[in-house]
Amino acid sequence: MIAMPPKFVAFDLETTGLVCGKDEIIEIGAVKFTVETKAGRVVPKIEKEFETFVKPSMMIPAEASSVNHITDAMVENAPLPGEAIKNFANFCGQGSILLAHNANFDSSFLRDAYKKNPQFVPGNPIVDSLAIARTILPELTDETGKHNHKLGFLANMFKRRNEIAMSIDSDKMHRAVYDCEMLMEVFVALLRRRLKEKDWEMGSIMQAMAKYKGIPQFLNK
């Protein structure tokens, strides 16, 4: 039994493109969860979810819509970026550890949003699950022989090995909350390969993750 499990927030952004400073956030999704032990295995336990469209100052390019299936009509009445990131920060709370797959991308867009919409910047640590995956499973390759640590590839692999509970639906990928649920499952499955139950305690988890490149970054530094 984990006496004091940490609170995590797996989050994901959908954007108008890949260039921070030019492109903008159009959706924020997040899943707040903790961990518990079931049948001798550490598993995630969802507490609540967050999802909001964000109204950008630009039209959504067709290339972006083809990936995330978000259209201009869907964001027309959405909160503006300043309100959206404030609501996201309130959802996360001060004591949560944030997780993102390729955190440099998501963090850079959040930093840009805070720069353009000045307000209190939360100080939560943000941990990159992609760096953890590359450290724990450095040999992982796809059918072409190329190294692959993409979230969907990891989720499908863990599902085949019966290491995650959720069903994987490729049609739902690249929508923020679904990707967050996948991230939650993949993150726990990855670290379960290396961490002991006591490592999942609030007082131990940051140090335990750091051994596997789970070194936090911060929006306010």
Side-chain angles (χ1 to χ4, degrees):
M1 181 178 177
I2 303 168
M4 288 188 65
K7 300 272 194 228
F8 298 101
V9 174
F11 78 99
D12 182 59
L13 308 179
E14 298 299 336
T15 62
T16 60
L18 303 178
V19 182
C20 181
K22 178 177 82 72
D23 290 302
E24 299 179 37
I25 299 168
I26 51 176
E27 186 181 29
I28 306 173
V31 173
K32 182 177 283 190
F33 70 98
T34 186
V35 290
E36 60 183 350
T37 306
K38 280 190 175 180
R41 187 160 85 165
V42 175
V43 295
K45 179 182 178 183
I46 292 180
E47 294 197 341
K48 53 184 178 176
E49 298 181 345
F50 173 89
E51 184 174 18
T52 183
F53 287 124
V54 184
K55 184 177 175 65
S57 63
M58 61 188 290
M59 304 290 282
I60 301 174
E63 310 87 74
S65 291
S66 69
V67 173
N68 54 42
H69 309 299
I70 300 173
T71 64
D72 292 315
M74 294 165 70
V75 301
E76 179 61 34
N77 298 310
L80 293 172
E83 181 184 356
I85 59 176
K86 182 178 181 180
N87 292 340
F88 172 60
N90 289 338
F91 169 83
C92 294
Q94 293 185 354
S96 299
I97 300 165
L98 274 54
L99 312 170
H101 205 67
N102 189 16
N104 287 340
F105 176 86
D106 298 270
S107 296
S108 66
F109 272 84
L110 283 176
R111 285 192 188 95
D112 187 60
Y114 278 110
K115 182 180 178 181
K116 292 174 179 174
N117 302 274
Q119 57 185 276
F120 174 76
V121 181
N124 305 65
I126 301 175
V127 172
D128 185 4
S129 57
L130 177 59
I132 293 174
R134 286 171 171 164
T135 303
I136 292 178
L137 297 170
E139 74 290 347
L140 194 63
T141 56
D142 58 25
E143 63 276 2
T144 69
K146 292 182 179 179
H147 287 286
N148 191 337
H149 296 88
K150 291 181 179 179
L151 186 58
F153 183 76
L154 289 164
N156 278 298
M157 180 199 72
F158 283 132
K159 185 63 179 179
R160 288 195 303 271
R161 297 178 181 182
N162 199 31
E163 294 185 46
I164 64 176
M166 74 181 291
S167 59
I168 306 302
D169 184 346
S170 59
D171 291 336
K172 294 181 181 177
M173 291 183 190
H174 297 292
R175 284 307 304 277
V177 166
Y178 184 82
D179 283 359
C180 294
E181 291 176 355
M182 264 201 318
L183 171 54
M184 171 189 75
E185 293 278 5
V186 165
F187 169 77
V188 174
L190 278 168
L191 285 177
R192 196 165 53 214
R193 291 167 164 252
R194 295 289 185 271
L195 304 192
K196 299 184 172 77
E197 190 173 294
K198 63 181 177 60
D199 294 327
W200 289 95
E201 301 269 345
M202 174 68 84
S204 309
I205 189 64
M206 295 303 298
Q207 185 175 357
M209 288 190 296
K211 295 177 184 177
Y212 304 102
K213 298 289 178 70
I215 299 168
Q217 56 180 287
F218 299 88
L219 296 178
N220 61 353
K221 293 183 180 178

